[in-house]
Structure formats: C-alpha cells, structure tokens
Amino acid sequence: MRFHLLGPLEVLETAAADRDATPRAAKHRVVLATLLVRAGEPVPTETLISELWGGTPPRTATTTIQVYVSQLRKLLGLADSDEARQAIVTRRPGYLFRLDPGRLDLTCFETLYKQGVAAAERQEHAEASELQRQALTLWRGRFLADTAAGPVLSAEAARLSEMRMASLEQRIRADLHLGRHHELLGELRAATAEHPLREELHAHLMVALYRCGRQAEALTVFSALRRTLVNDLAIEPGPALQQLQQRLLSGDPKLLHTAQHRTQPVAPVPQPPLMGHLPLPDPQFVGRDAELERLTGLVRERPATAFVTGGPGTGKSSLARQAAHLLADDFPDGRILIDLRATPATERLGITERLLHATGAPAQLPQTPAARRQLLNRLTEGRKILFVLDNADRAEDLGDILPGPPGTTTLVTARHLPGQLHPVGGIRLEPPEQAEAERILTATGGRAVAQAAAETVKEIVALCGRHPYALSVAGARLAAHPHWTAAALADRLRAAETRFDELRHDGLDVRARLLHAYDECAAPEREAFRRLSVLPPGAFGTDAAAAVLDTTQGAAEELMERLVSHGLLAVESSARGGHVGYHAPLLHRLLAVELAERDAAEVRHAATGRLCEAYAATAEWSGALVGSGDVEATRAPLPPTRSAGPRPPQWFTGQQSALVWAVRAAADAGQWRPALRLARAIGDHLEATAAWDDWATTQQTALRAAEAAGDRTGQALALRSLGDLAWQRRRFAEAFKRFQQAVGIARRAGSDAEAARSLAGLVDLHLEHGFLREAERLAAEAQEAADAAEDPRARFEALRCGALLALDTGRAAVAEKLFGACEETAAELADRRLAAYARRARRSVSLRSDGSPGAFGGVEVRPGVWRLSSGRPDAVGGSPASRGVTLP
C-alpha cells in the first residue's frame, strides 16, 4: 500500500494495481493521518482523542478509538500482504504505524528535500534542482486538504507548508545558478503574488529580471515590496534585500555571474500515479447491457459533454467507469477519472486544478482561472482524452470546466442534470428489470444465490427494491458468510425496521449512501422528505403531497421536483389523466420513515389527519359526481382544482389501497374524525365493488375511531355498514347483531336517519328468511324514522323496504308504485346508481305476468345484490334454525 498526505488523503492498494482504498469516514481519516505523520513511533491514545474531539471528548472516547483502529486494520487487511495486515500495532501508551518510508509521500518529500539541500551545499546545482523538483511534484494540493486537523495535524501542516516553500526557494536558487532566469520569470511573478511578504522570492525575481536586462523592473519589484511592508507592517525590507537593491543600483556585474555546474543526469525517483488514474475494470460489473451500449455509442460520437444521471446507488459510477474502459481505443491519449466525492465539498481542489495535475501540469499553477484554463487547453491540444467527472451532484462541483477543452469529451455522472448545462446527450438510470437485478445479486452473492430457490432470489430482490447498490451489498454480505443461505438472508431482510442494518458490510452502507443525498438537500427539502413518509406506499400526486406538507399544490410540486433532482423521489411514469405523479422507491421510503421519527409525533399525526381529510374531500366530491352524472366535472381529482384528472369511479379504483391505508393510519394516529369521514366517504364504493376485505377493514377502523371520539352517530353508521357487509357475506347472525346494535345507538344519539337505514337492514334480513310479519313491523318503524329525519337517503331505504315487502306479499301494484317513489327520491339525491336500480326494479315488477314475486326467479333487493328466491318460508328451504340463525 502507498499512503499520500501531501494533498487529499489517499491510500492506494499496489497489489490491486493502485485501487483506491482510502477510508471515507471523517474520523477514520483523522486517526489514520495522525498515525502516519508519526509513523514509526508510538502515538498515545490521549493524542488521538485530542486530535478527534479537542477538549470535549465523549465518555466512550477510548473505546471508540479502539473501534476506529480495529476498522482501519480491517481496511488495510484487504491488501494481500502481511505488511498491510500488520501495519497498525498496539504499543503503549497507544498505537504505532509500521511502514516502509518509501510508501509514504511525506517521508519521500522530506528525503528528496534534504538530498536537494545537500546537493546545493556541494554546489551540485543541477542535481539540487532536479531533486527539489521531484520533491515538489509529490504535492497534490494543501496538506491533508480533505481531513479535519487537530493539534498534531495542524502543527504538521504548518511545518510542511514551510518546508514546501523552502523547497521551492531552493529549486529556484539552483535554477538561477544554472542560468535558467528566463524560464523562471513567469513562475516567480506568480509566486510573489501568492506570497507577497516572502522576501527571498522577491530577491530571486529581482535577480532574474536583472539578468534578463530588465534592471528597472527589478528595482520596481523592490519598491513594491517595500511599500507593502511599510504600509502593512511598518517595517523596512531586511538587510539582505536592501543590499541587493544597492547592487542593482550600482550595476554590480557579479550579479550576472552563474556558477559552474555539473550536468550529469539525476536518476528519476518513481512518482505516485496521476490523480486521474482510472481504476481497473470491476470484475463483478453485470447488467446494464443496454445502457452500456447506449453510453459507449454516445461517447464515440465525441460530444463535448455527456451525462449519466440517476438516484443514489443506481450504478452511475460503475457504468461510467466500465464505459471508460471499453473506450480505451477511442481515447489513446488518456482516460482521466476525477471523483468529486473524494474530498469534502468545502475544501476540495478546484476541478480545473485537479484536471491540470492529472494531465501533467507543473506543481505551481497559474493564479487566474483564465490562465489555468488556457494551460489546460494547451496540455490537451491535439490529444484524444476522455475526462470522467464522477459524482458531480452539485452544479458548483463542475465550476466552469464544462464544456471541456476542445477536442476532448467529458463524461459526467450526477444525480440530476444541472439546469444551466446543455449536454449533447446522456442517459438516466432507472431501477433494473427483475432479471438484471437478479444478475447483480448473483454476481456478488456467488454460489449461495446461484443455488437458491427462484422464489427466494425474487424475494431478496424485492426487499432491496431492485436497488443496484443494495443488491451488491446484500450479495457481498452473503458471500462473506459462507454458512448462510439465501433464505437466511431473506429472513434477515424482511423486518423493515432493521433492514438498513442488514444492508451494511465492510464499509458498504446503503443507509449512508442514501443519507448522503438527503444531507445535501436544503432544510425545506429534508423536512418535506420526512413528512412525506406519512403517505401510503405507492404513487401520489401533488394534491396528497400538498395536504401532508400543509402547503399549496404549486409549492408542493416545486418541493417534489427538487427531491427528484436529489434522487430521493422518482416521477411516476404511469400517472393517469395527465397528472404528474411521484413515488418514493422502497428503500428511500424506509429511510424517510426512519428519519421522521426525529419529528414530534403530533406533527406526523397532524399530517396524517390532513391527508385523510384531503382524500375524504375528493372521495365525497367524486362520489357525488358519479351520482349526478356531471361528466365534465368528473375530470377533477379534487374539488378546488378542476384540472384534468381521473374520472370516478376510476379514481376510487386507482386509489383504493391508499384510501384504506389512510383510514387505518389516521385512526392509529388518533385522528378520529378524519378517519371517520374518509371511511364514510368510501363505504358506498367498497360496497358497490364488493371489496369485502377493504370494506371490513375501513368500517372496523371507523367503529374504533367513533368509539374513541365518543361519536354515537358514527358508531351507528359503522355498525350498520358492518351489518350490510355481513348480510351480503351471508353471515346472518352477525348481520342481525350489528343492525340491532346500530338501531339502539342511533336512537340514543337521536339520529333518525341512521336508525331508519339500520332498520332497513333488519327488514332485508327478515325478508331473506321469510319472517314477513316481523319485516312488516320493522318496515313501518323504518318509514316512521325516515319521515322524522326528513332525510332523502333514509326515505329511499324505507321506500325500498316497503316495495320489497309488497312484492313478497303479492302486492305488485303497490311495489311498482313504491319503486317509482324510490326513483323520484334518487333523482332528488342526484344519485344515478340508486335511480338506475329503482327503474330496473319497477320495470321488473311491471313485467311480471301474474304478479307473482317469484315469476322471474329472483329479486334485486339492493343495487347489484340479488335474492334468488322470494323470501317466503316455503321458498327459503328449511327453517330458520336449520340456517343457523335465530331471529325474533
């Protein structure tokens, strides 16, 4: 392994052809860097604690340090060498890092610097210049630019910064001795501008200018430096610089003299790889065949810029790197990878500077962006180079580098396409298809997956949401435990609350990958992402999102689009009626639920209540439109919007599972009245479509909510609805009990309308079993309650029962008249379904030739509900007792 500290921290596995093995966790990097700067000597545990936490360490600091060291040992143990596995040893009072000095760029730099100083003292200026040049080339940026610094690392940074500057001055001094003053002018002007108080650099610039015949400019350099020192520090230049000024003024010919020097070449010291080194192809890369073919074809067309976009963990980086390897012949001059996630966003080098270092630019770069860009253009001119800019998740990551240098192609991976950029082409990665997802799992899981049952593999893929990164982690976890079976892994993944813990292995962490995208969101997007966890699984529209977020649909849509751009939501491709829909992929939703636990329970519960109210408003309005037959109006999903949308009853069908989920969620959150309202609003639809299980769930939940809220009318309604359900399911004893309870509670609540409708249910039940006398009594009570309520819906039910009773007792004319009254009442209700039922029933009676209720073999007792016999005792077939029913 090789370790690089002179710039961003970098650990390269030489056994794996310089594969990047750099720790990503911030505190791991601090521990490793501290051990490396003190390589060969024990570092006390207290020093590591101070470096990590300063003067306020946690109570478990010592234990935590032990964990970090153990994890670093595991990381370094990935290399196939005893040296790597035994690098960190416990040595009182802490830990010692044993390392060959040649594997650490810091020690290489110090060695080269000291050798250069020694060569200069021997007057070997050519050797001194080359040694210092090699030393400076080891620097890739600021010392540990991506790692937080405590006391030890801060002191080391100051020491090395001074040594770096001394190395530069030594190299320039040697070059001046070699007569290279013309070549040094540009570099010296840049260096003095960057270090305006560094007198030795100014002295070198004055000598170089003087030797170029520019005595006046050399004196101007002195004057400018003097003004800066006097104005800023109230001091004069040092004696050496003042003496140099006097020699310039006097035209000292000795300043023109360059020392004799030896010219024998210095053996080059091996250099570390370029920052843009392309890792070896991933041997486990599978799937994405179509996308890979499209991407390579696109890049071969040589656009200025191409993009690969997709959510976190969808495989953008793997695809881009695989494509870069396949394009080797198309870019013979180089394929340069820059991973923009390799360093913290606040401290990373500019993208232009990193590309310059990767393409062989000198250590000292021009100061202005324009000059750097010109230098990059010169270095790439006439060359066929592919730049791969990986993980450019923010527009500022790319700076002003796009489009890239003329003639080159830049391939960018990002979660979304930055709005201000206009690439020639690109592809977006969606979750892979089932077969492809199984291939990804098999590639990492190996034999355990290959030997597993097909259903088990399908279940693991489903539990991972077909998420490529999650599938890779799941497979790696399985491969690391040879005694596990795929079925055992599926067992571990089933529990949603611990699934993320199972999708973590040896530095691979699905939760962390998704959290990275979440953490980069602004506060409003993060809050919205958490709040949306109260939505039911599946697709949702801006109306539901607006209710949950307590905002307008326009504002909700803007938030949704920003979450889509961060890869935390996906656009629902099957959105109906022209509406844009969204959904949270499975693992993203699990993360949102987990993060939402940070919010106050009342906030989540209130959001659930608003969602339930919004669904109820839509259901009530849509249900009314179904009845009214207002075809144009039925295009709207919510009453206030009247925008193009799904038409009822299609809206109910498409949303049914979400509506049932919302009823239960609202009740669980203690939002009793929203739960009751929605259960009431969707009850007729569930009855009409014979969705018995969902009907039972919602009405049982409504009964629980009504009891908790002390709403007797709501209790009566839920009991009556459950009675209707039991009657249709032929569970007569249960139906009788529910109707009786509903009548009693409705009367105590003073709700004549609910009492009438529950009594109508009892009438239906008694007619079913041929108890005509009792049915007649109950029908009269229902009519009396309906009259008292002055409620059209209750009146319709009372009239319907009277008509059915008349039909069963052979009074066809009365039945026809009452069904006609039902039709009039349905028109008053503007309910097309009830009106159609009343017309069918009236016509059926009028067609009976002999007035016999059983002439046509059955009676439609409610819309879509038929009784296949007349209901007379002799037609029922057996006694009520034989039917398992006891009725009064």
Side-chain angles (χ1 to χ4, degrees):
M1 275 189 167
R2 289 205 301 271
F3 300 87
H4 298 159
L5 305 181
L6 305 181
L9 177 64
E10 190 174 62
V11 180
L12 296 179
E13 248 185 72
T14 53
D18 291 343
R19 187 171 70 84
D20 187 2
T22 309
R24 299 304 179 200
K27 287 186 168 50
H28 290 168
R29 299 162 78 89
V30 172
V31 172
L32 178 59
T34 306
L35 293 173
L36 285 171
V37 299
R38 298 281 182 86
E41 62 179 271
V43 179
T45 301
E46 290 303 318
T47 299
L48 294 173
I49 291 173
S50 175
E51 199 69 17
L52 284 171
W53 295 289
T56 57
R59 181 174 53 83
T60 59
T62 301
T63 303
T64 304
I65 291 292
Q66 293 172 350
V67 172
Y68 289 161
V69 170
S70 174
Q71 291 169 341
L72 284 173
R73 283 171 172 157
K74 189 173 184 181
L75 174 66
L76 300 180
L78 294 174
D80 189 18
S81 71
D82 291 337
E83 176 191 8
R85 286 192 290 269
Q86 300 172 9
I88 305 176
V89 297
T90 302
R91 184 70 53 82
R92 291 184 180 277
Y95 302 93
L96 180 145
F97 202 115
R98 297 191 300 198
L99 181 68
D100 177 357
R103 294 182 179 273
L104 180 63
D105 62 354
L106 186 155
T107 53
C108 289
F109 167 73
E110 291 179 318
T111 299
L112 289 168
Y113 170 72
K114 292 174 183 177
Q115 291 173 351
V117 171
E121 291 174 348
R122 297 193 307 268
Q123 300 297 307
E124 300 287 352
H125 301 300
E127 182 180 355
S129 172
E130 181 61 27
L131 287 167
Q132 297 296 359
R133 190 181 305 277
Q134 291 179 15
L136 290 168
T137 304
L138 293 172
W139 286 83
R140 300 167 293 113
R142 185 168 57 81
F143 174 72
L144 288 175
D146 60 350
T147 304
V152 172
L153 295 182
S154 295
E156 190 69 7
R159 182 183 74 86
L160 289 169
S161 177
E162 189 61 34
M163 186 178 289
R164 180 184 186 183
M165 184 57 63
S167 177
L168 175 63
E169 291 171 345
Q170 287 273 351
R171 199 218 80 220
I172 291 173
R173 184 182 300 114
D175 285 344
L176 284 172
H177 278 291
L178 295 170
R180 296 171 179 170
H181 38 271
H182 287 284
E183 294 93 325
L184 288 171
L185 284 178
E187 182 181 0
L188 281 167
R189 286 202 181 276
T192 53
E194 185 175 357
H195 305 281
L197 303 180
R198 196 87 181 185
E199 293 190 18
E200 184 167 353
L201 289 176
H202 286 79
H204 291 328
L205 177 58
M206 291 164 65
V207 171
L209 286 168
Y210 182 73
R211 290 180 180 176
C212 291
R214 297 157 67 174
Q215 181 182 11
E217 291 181 55
L219 291 168
T220 301
V221 171
F222 177 84
S223 299
L225 174 61
R226 182 180 180 278
R227 280 196 304 271
T228 300
L229 293 174
V230 171
N231 292 338
D232 293 353
L233 302 175
I235 62 173
E236 292 286 342
L241 203 63
Q242 292 186 39
Q243 184 181 7
L244 177 60
Q245 181 208 26
Q246 293 302 316
R247 296 178 68 186
L248 291 174
L249 288 170
S250 64
D252 186 348
K254 290 182 180 180
L255 286 175
L256 298 174
H257 173 72
T258 57
Q260 296 296 321
H261 55 274
R262 302 176 187 179
T263 58
Q264 63 266 29
V266 179
V269 176
Q271 300 298 308
L274 294 175
M275 288 178 66
H277 179 73
L278 191 65
L280 288 175
D282 182 358
Q284 293 182 328
F285 180 88
V286 296
R288 300 296 192 190
D289 297 335
E291 291 89 345
L292 187 59
E293 183 177 354
R294 283 170 52 203
L295 183 59
T296 53
L298 171 65
V299 175
R300 284 190 173 110
E301 297 173 2
R302 298 292 173 85
T305 311
F307 270 80
V308 179
T309 59
T314 51
K316 305 179 294 295
S317 299
S318 297
L319 181 68
R321 297 179 188 197
Q322 191 74 6
H325 282 290
L326 295 178
L327 292 163
D329 293 340
D330 299 89
F331 296 94
D333 296 314
R335 293 151 295 142
I336 296 174
L337 170 69
I338 303 293
D339 186 352
L340 297 173
R341 192 182 291 162
T343 55
T346 56
E347 296 184 355
R348 61 167 60 113
L349 289 175
I351 183 63
T352 307
E353 290 89 330
R354 295 184 70 177
L355 288 177
L356 281 167
H357 286 308
T359 50
Q364 297 297 322
L365 299 178
Q367 297 301 302
T368 67
R372 294 192 198 103
R373 183 60 184 250
Q374 289 175 0
L375 176 58
L376 182 61
N377 290 348
R378 286 200 304 273
L379 289 171
T380 59
E381 186 176 3
R383 302 167 70 184
K384 295 180 180 179
I385 297 176
L386 174 66
F387 293 121
V388 181
L389 306 183
D390 199 13
N391 296 308
D393 293 326
R394 307 181 313 160
E396 54 265 36
D397 289 342
L398 299 172
D400 58 354
I401 197 62
L402 297 182
T408 66
T409 293
T410 305
L411 176 58
V412 181
T413 74
R415 287 197 291 270
H416 67 102
L417 182 64
Q420 75 274 24
L421 300 177
H422 303 285
V424 170
I427 64 173
R428 180 164 186 85
L429 295 184
E430 302 295 343
E433 297 298 328
Q434 179 68 27
E436 201 167 66
E438 291 179 12
R439 287 175 61 196
I440 294 172
L441 179 64
T442 304
T444 51
R447 180 179 299 178
V449 179
Q451 294 177 346
E455 290 306 313
T456 300
V457 175
K458 282 183 171 59
E459 183 181 10
I460 294 174
V461 168
L463 291 169
C464 291
R466 288 189 288 124
H467 190 272
Y469 183 68
L471 291 168
S472 298
V473 176
R477 188 158 163 76
L478 191 56
H481 297 81
H483 55 287
W484 284 10
T485 63
L489 177 63
D491 220 18
R492 289 171 171 269
L493 292 173
R494 285 191 190 105
E497 59 273 13
T498 58
R499 191 172 306 165
F500 280 128
D501 296 330
E502 299 297 334
L503 291 175
R504 183 171 57 195
H505 173 70
D506 199 17
L508 306 174
D509 191 333
V510 175
R511 179 194 278 112
R513 180 65 62 92
L514 299 181
L515 270 175
H516 181 78
Y518 170 82
D519 289 338
E520 287 194 347
C521 293
E525 286 90 62
R526 293 198 299 270
E527 182 182 1
F529 181 65
R530 298 193 306 273
R531 194 82 60 81
L532 291 172
S533 66
V534 307
L535 287 168
F540 59 88
T542 53
D543 47 5
V548 165
L549 301 178
D550 198 16
T551 187
T552 64
Q553 289 199 44
E557 184 173 17
E558 185 177 343
L559 282 168
M560 298 307 98
E561 290 298 326
R562 292 207 291 269
L563 288 171
V564 168
S565 72
H566 283 284
L568 295 173
L569 287 184
V571 175
E572 177 62 31
S573 57
S574 62
R576 297 175 297 278
H579 285 283
V580 175
Y582 304 90
H583 75 274
L586 175 66
L587 297 179
H588 300 60
R589 176 177 167 76
L590 287 182
L591 178 65
V593 171
E594 182 179 286
L595 293 172
E597 293 298 322
R598 303 176 183 177
D599 297 328
E602 55 267 24
V603 172
R604 301 195 306 273
H605 294 167
T608 302
R610 289 194 301 272
L611 174 67
C612 210
E613 292 281 4
Y615 278 149
T618 306
E620 290 163 355
W621 192 68
S622 298
L625 294 179
V626 172
S628 69
D630 185 348
V631 176
E632 289 305 314
T634 59
R635 296 179 181 275
L638 275 180
T641 63
R642 294 204 171 249
S643 57
R647 297 184 182 184
Q650 289 87 343
W651 181 86
F652 284 102
T653 303
Q655 296 287 329
Q656 182 168 309
S657 61
L659 297 172
V660 174
W661 187 95
V663 171
R664 297 183 65 177
D668 291 342
Q671 299 289 315
W672 310 121
R673 300 208 175 278
L676 278 169
R677 182 183 175 190
L678 181 55
R680 182 183 298 117
I682 64 176
D684 286 347
H685 167 74
L686 297 176
E687 178 181 0
T689 56
W692 286 350
D693 290 341
D694 286 344
W695 187 4
T697 296
T698 55
Q699 298 311 311
Q700 286 165 358
T701 304
L703 179 58
R704 175 164 63 95
E707 289 170 346
D711 183 347
R712 287 186 172 180
T713 301
Q715 292 177 53
L717 189 155
L719 286 166
R720 186 255 303 164
S721 187
L722 289 169
D724 287 339
L725 172 62
W727 173 65
Q728 291 195 32
R729 283 181 159 180
R730 323 306 287 167
R731 298 173 180 173
F732 299 119
E734 179 185 346
F736 179 74
K737 177 181 177 182
R738 294 294 193 186
F739 286 139
Q740 285 279 58
Q741 290 174 329
V743 171
I745 292 176
R747 283 173 170 164
R748 288 195 296 275
S751 175
D752 291 318
E754 269 308 315
R757 296 191 64 177
S758 300
L759 286 164
L762 286 171
V763 172
D764 286 329
L765 190 59
H766 282 76
L767 288 176
E768 180 82 17
H769 291 82
F771 288 90
L772 302 183
R773 184 175 302 174
E774 183 62 19
E776 186 173 3
R777 182 184 67 79
L778 293 168
E781 287 187 26
Q783 186 64 59
E784 182 181 353
D787 292 341
E790 298 182 353
D791 179 79
R793 188 68 173 84
R795 186 167 69 251
F796 178 92
E797 291 301 318
L799 290 169
R800 179 186 63 80
C801 289
L804 291 173
L805 182 62
L807 190 62
D808 275 6
T809 54
R811 296 174 292 148
V814 175
E816 184 176 359
K817 180 179 178 182
L818 290 174
F819 279 130
C822 283
E823 187 175 357
E824 293 174 2
T825 305
E828 181 182 345
L829 287 166
D831 191 317
R832 291 197 306 165
R833 178 168 171 262
L834 294 181
Y837 159 74
R839 280 195 301 274
R840 288 194 304 272
R842 181 171 53 80
R843 289 171 184 170
S844 175
V845 173
S846 67
L847 290 174
R848 296 174 187 270
S849 58
D850 59 357
S852 170
F856 295 94
V859 176
E860 186 180 10
V861 294
R862 294 189 186 188
V865 180
W866 289 77
R867 173 158 39 92
L868 297 182
S869 60
S870 68
R872 289 182 178 178
D874 59 344
V876 171
S879 66
S882 69
R883 300 291 300 274
V885 180
T886 302
L887 299 178

